[in-house]
Amino acid sequence: MVMLKLDGSQHFRQRLVLSTISGKAMQIDNIRADDENPGLRDYEASLLRLFEKVTNGCKVEINETGTRLRYRPGFVHGGFDLEHDCGLSRGIGYFLEPLCLISIFGKYPLSIRLYGITNDSTDVSVDTWRTVTCPLMRQLVGQEGVEGNFELKIIKRGSVPNGGGEILFKVPMMKRKLPPVSLVEEGLVKRVRGIAFATKVSPQTTNRVVDGARGVLNNLLPDVYIFTDHMSGREAGESPGYGVLLVAETNSGRMLGAEVAMAGDMQRDDQFIPEDVGKRASYMLLEEVSKGGVVDTSHQALILLMCAFGPEEINEVRLGPLTPYTVKTLRHIKEFLGVQFNIRPENTSGTIFLSCIGAGVTNLSKRIQ
């Protein structure tokens, strides 16, 4: 088996996903070798344990200091009624993207309960996954040749620092190849939807967040509706917190999201009053819209990976300015899959057209008809 040699701790999730899908083993050296606390972090070790739960035959070797990792991928199995504790170092959103990308090529559909932090300021929240990412994945995977559906149910919310959240995540299984990706129509924003959440704080907090967001957005378009979701008791997890997700829907069916989450104890600081949280999310959403593209910046890497996994024909998307994370994604795709993207900027809109011939990834667990 070919073993790729990689260096450093960056883009750990991408490397695991691409290694598993391509079937290429990898060795990562110098994982935070010069850091005061060298080696893998607990959330990275937790991600490896999660991969072991949903795959058969994968082999993980870590040296004593944790600065070297050898990973030999196995077959993705999927499964029902699985459980995994994501810990408190990173949000559940950190684990959802790699889990989703490998599970669509599983032997069985996936149904898993994840425990931990549902909303934080570092990772994509479960609200974004439910409202933006799952509909996007349904569109990219298509309806034919799919067993199951993308579904995310929030059972309990968990805020920083003590978590206590719980979600049920379901991923379908592809019976054959992915359909080609062709998403180049941005469209114009026709409405904004959102959800303001609060856990273990005053119920008025969500209304104040909504007022702050509407104060900005209603100057631009009238169709703005933000739902409120206040949880208390056992459903609210272990820590106070609040935040908001805003989603701009275009007339071509695209959805762009922006979110802000705060820990409840930050309410005492005048800098972080709930109205300001709503305003900040609104400005972030407007910035995403101004950048252009068919997805927001947090979904650029996901959609490019789906293009690379696609059939051996033209897969094309239109994105705004590429983030450093997305640029590194393109390099990893070339390294693991041998897929190169043709990049064509459009000066009038400031957007970029990216096209490639997909790697033609198939579900090896399924018999070829």
Side-chain angles (χ1 to χ4, degrees):
M1 181 181 284
V2 178
M3 181 164 290
L4 287 174
K5 299 290 181 71
L6 302 168
D7 198 73
S9 61
Q10 291 185 324
H11 308 278
F12 184 72
R13 297 182 301 166
Q14 272 183 12
R15 292 170 173 178
L16 279 181
V17 168
L18 287 165
S19 174
T20 304
I21 298 298
S22 66
K24 294 179 181 177
M26 66 175 179
Q27 177 176 312
I28 306 177
D29 295 306
N30 299 319
I31 301 174
R32 301 186 183 89
D34 299 326
D35 200 272
E36 289 183 9
N37 182 19
L40 290 169
R41 296 287 182 259
D42 56 349
Y43 55 87
E44 292 167 337
S46 179
L47 182 61
L48 286 168
R49 289 195 295 273
L50 179 59
F51 269 55
E52 288 178 333
K53 287 180 182 178
V54 299
T55 60
N56 274 344
C58 86
K59 189 175 181 182
V60 178
E61 297 175 11
I62 304 171
N63 68 351
E64 291 180 3
T65 57
T67 55
R68 176 186 293 167
L69 165 73
R70 283 188 176 183
Y71 176 76
R72 294 183 182 275
F75 284 100
V76 183
H77 187 267
F80 302 94
D81 300 325
L82 300 177
E83 294 185 350
H84 183 72
D85 188 348
C86 298
L88 303 176
S89 299
R90 296 293 291 263
I92 292 175
Y94 174 85
F95 300 83
L96 286 176
E97 183 177 314
L99 182 62
C100 177
L101 285 169
I102 67 168
S103 296
I104 56 177
F105 297 103
K107 187 175 182 180
Y108 302 104
L110 176 72
S111 176
I112 186 169
R113 288 179 184 266
L114 299 174
Y115 304 93
I117 296 170
T118 58
N119 302 86
D120 71 346
S121 57
T122 307
D123 298 299
V124 175
S125 73
V126 295
D127 292 296
T128 300
W129 265 87
R130 182 177 63 179
T131 312
V132 181
T133 317
C134 284
L136 174 65
M137 289 300 294
R138 288 189 200 108
Q139 189 173 6
L140 294 174
V141 169
Q143 298 298 319
E144 296 182 8
V146 178
E147 184 179 320
N149 195 12
F150 290 98
E151 185 181 333
L152 191 149
K153 183 180 180 183
I154 301 172
I155 299 167
K156 298 179 185 175
R157 287 192 181 272
S159 299
V160 179
N162 296 323
E166 178 185 346
I167 68 162
L168 175 63
F169 187 46
K170 295 182 179 180
V171 182
M173 171 267 300
M174 288 292 302
K175 294 180 181 177
R176 49 179 83 94
K177 291 183 180 180
L178 291 165
V181 177
S182 179
L183 296 177
V184 293
E185 290 296 325
E186 296 175 291
L188 300 173
V189 176
K190 62 178 181 178
R191 63 185 178 189
V192 172
R193 294 291 180 263
I195 180 166
F197 74 90
T199 59
K200 292 188 178 292
V201 295
S202 167
Q204 288 300 315
T205 304
T206 53
N207 296 330
R208 292 172 64 188
V209 171
V210 171
D211 289 342
R214 290 181 68 95
V216 175
L217 295 172
N218 277 137
N219 295 326
L220 302 168
L221 76 167
D223 195 354
V224 178
Y225 193 88
I226 304 171
F227 298 88
T228 57
D229 181 17
H230 177 263
M231 285 190 170
S232 58
R234 298 177 69 179
E235 292 181 341
E238 305 295 332
S239 296
Y242 64 97
V244 62
L245 162 70
L246 298 175
V247 180
E249 300 180 24
T250 72
N251 53 17
S252 62
R254 308 282 80 81
M255 289 194 285
L256 310 173
E259 61 184 337
V260 176
M262 291 290 171
D265 55 3
M266 297 176 79
Q267 262 185 305
R268 300 170 191 160
D269 193 330
D270 292 335
Q271 290 180 327
F272 296 103
I273 62 172
E275 288 83 356
D276 286 349
V277 171
K279 288 179 183 177
R280 188 194 294 188
S282 299
Y283 291 134
M284 289 171 64
L285 180 67
L286 295 176
E287 187 176 351
E288 291 288 355
V289 173
S290 70
K291 288 177 180 177
V294 296
V295 294
D296 54 60
T297 50
S298 63
H299 290 86
Q300 286 181 353
L302 176 69
I303 200 167
L304 289 178
L305 284 166
M306 291 299 287
C307 286
F309 296 157
E312 296 178 15
E313 54 186 281
I314 290 290
N315 295 269
E316 187 176 24
V317 293
R318 181 180 190 171
L319 302 177
L322 302 182
T323 64
Y325 184 81
T326 308
V327 173
K328 192 66 176 177
T329 301
L330 292 170
R331 291 175 181 154
H332 278 318
I333 287 172
K334 181 182 176 183
E335 205 165 1
F336 281 92
L337 299 174
V339 173
Q340 280 185 274
F341 280 80
N342 178 42
I343 300 175
R344 179 169 54 88
E346 186 182 65
N347 296 328
T348 54
S349 65
T351 56
I352 302 169
F353 289 91
L354 294 101
S355 57
C356 72
I357 304 296
V361 177
T362 56
N363 191 341
L364 297 177
S365 302
K366 294 295 164 186
R367 186 178 62 191
I368 298 173
Q369 300 292 336

